Amino acid sequence: MKLCFISSFPPSKGNLAEYGFYLIKEFKKSKLFDSIVVLANQSNSKKEERIGKLKIIRCWKQDDFFLPFRILYRIWKENPDIVHFNLHMMNWGKSKVVNFLGAVTPLLTKILLRKKVVITLHNIVEAVDLEKMNLKKNFLIEIGTYLATKSLLSVDKVIVTLDFFKRILVKKYKAKNIVTIFHGTFGKKVKRINLNSNKILAFGFWREIKNLPLLIEAFSDLKKKYKNLELIVAGSSHPYFPNYLEEIKKKYKKVKGIKYLGYVPEKKLDKVFKSSFLIVLPYLTGVGTSGVVHLGVSYGKPIIASDIPQIVETTKEEKFKVIFFKNNDKEDLKKQIEWILKNRKKVRKIVEENLKISAKNSFSQISKKYLSLFKSLIS
């Protein structure tokens, strides 16, 4: 079987590139595929490269009005058995028009090229707080997002990462082709749990909705009481907001004990996560299930997060234990961090349970569900 996988892909950063990388890493191990072609976004790497049965073709870029034609042409040329799109609703750039064109591309693949099409849809508009993302609702946006979602749901199978998303789509769009496959963890990444550090880790691609100022201000207050406390901010600015972190650094340059690491490549993840004792997600809203939560449980670290629906539902469905604070409430965040600092024995039990669940929901396990779905489509 030949698979064509459309996704952002490393060394590109963000926009599901890391998720695509880990999923393809597992697919490559399967005997189901004779060859895998990744149609990736353009980056500084080679336009085309081959690694064993994997071929990576960098044929599209964000905010390109010709994006559907470039992708359709490559799919036609490669002639795969199954086409798999790895998407979220703003996958194709900042332009609303280009994102709409990207959203109809999977359906065009099914109709024009007569291919079996699968989509992994990582978020849905109905589950996002648009106001907190500075997006005002209007008639055109509502019609556009409805038609885009309807188009996405018209392919052979749509995979969502939460039953929470599935329930919304079934109720609003009467969809009958939706399957839930959890995001996937990175397995058990540690042999021993280590909670002896004084480093708080904030990790991700940073933008306004990630609410980093709230964490910095809470940290600044706690630092007066806990002198050895450190805050590690790992990850770069979000590709759509390239100056965000620089502005944060300027605003909080007087706060002592903060270290900014910038983008962290995969080979350095171990060091960053293992050297921390706590991970904090201070988000105002979410755009999907959090990859940082899945990294945190894999590395055996306690997690504090704002009580936004996407993370709350993730913990309910995947059975992870996360300590929540009231969204955008600095005092409650400080209270939960202090509880972690004072109750490390209790925290260890939480982490042990999370590690057990992480092993069951690893990428190697969830990839088997994808393979089973692909087989059913071909047969």
Side-chain angles (χ1 to χ4, degrees), residues 23 52 85 212 221 226 258 318 339-340:
L23 203 54
F85 287 83
L212 186 56
D221 290 351
Y226 301 93
I258 304 176
E318 298 191 46
W339 186 87
I340 295 273

Side-chain angles (χ1 to χ4, degrees), residues 103-140:
V104 300
T105 302
L107 180 57
L108 292 175
T109 303
K110 178 178 170 63
I111 294 172
L112 299 179
L113 302 182
R114 298 181 181 277
K115 296 297 178 184
K116 296 288 186 182
V117 178
V118 175
I119 293 173
T120 300
L121 190 57
H122 289 262
N123 67 358
I124 58 174
V125 173
E126 290 80 2
V128 175
D129 190 330
L130 295 179
E131 285 186 12
K132 287 177 180 172
M133 294 185 70
N134 294 321
L135 292 172
K136 292 182 180 179
K137 282 187 178 181
N138 60 48
F139 179 73
L140 279 177

Side-chain angles (χ1 to χ4, degrees), residues 7 27 61 67 69 79 96 104 114 150 178 198 216 258 297 299-300 348:
S7 175
F27 287 171
K61 60 182 179 181
L67 179 147
F69 305 104
N79 193 28
K96 295 181 181 68
V104 300
R114 298 181 181 277
K150 195 74 176 171
I178 301 176
N198 288 307
I216 292 175
I258 304 176
V297 297
Y299 278 100
R348 179 175 288 273

Side-chain angles (χ1 to χ4, degrees), residues 4-12 15-17 20-21 24 37-43 45-49 54-62 67 70-71 74-75 84 86 91-92:
C4 185
F5 186 80
I6 296 94
S7 175
S8 296
F9 207 74
S12 174
N15 290 317
L16 307 176
F21 171 80
I24 289 296
V37 179
V38 176
L39 301 185
N41 53 331
Q42 293 175 7
S43 69
S45 59
K46 296 177 183 177
K47 286 188 177 180
E48 189 169 323
E49 56 185 313
L54 173 65
K55 181 164 69 170
I56 302 168
I57 303 171
R58 299 193 177 273
C59 63
W60 59 271
K61 60 182 179 181
Q62 289 167 329
L67 179 147
R70 300 186 200 284
I71 291 174
R74 283 294 180 173
I75 294 171
H84 182 181
N86 181 41
N91 198 75
W92 308 108

Side-chain angles (χ1 to χ4, degrees), residues 286-302:
V287 292
T289 52
S290 171
V292 179
V293 168
H294 294 87
L295 272 168
V297 297
S298 296
Y299 278 100
K301 301 300 176 183

Side-chain angles (χ1 to χ4, degrees), residues 167-185:
R167 290 193 297 271
I168 293 171
L169 293 173
V170 168
K171 184 177 180 180
K172 182 172 180 178
Y173 299 93
K174 313 300 180 190
K176 296 179 180 179
N177 60 338
I178 301 176
V179 177
T180 301
I181 299 178
F182 291 148
H183 178 285
T185 71

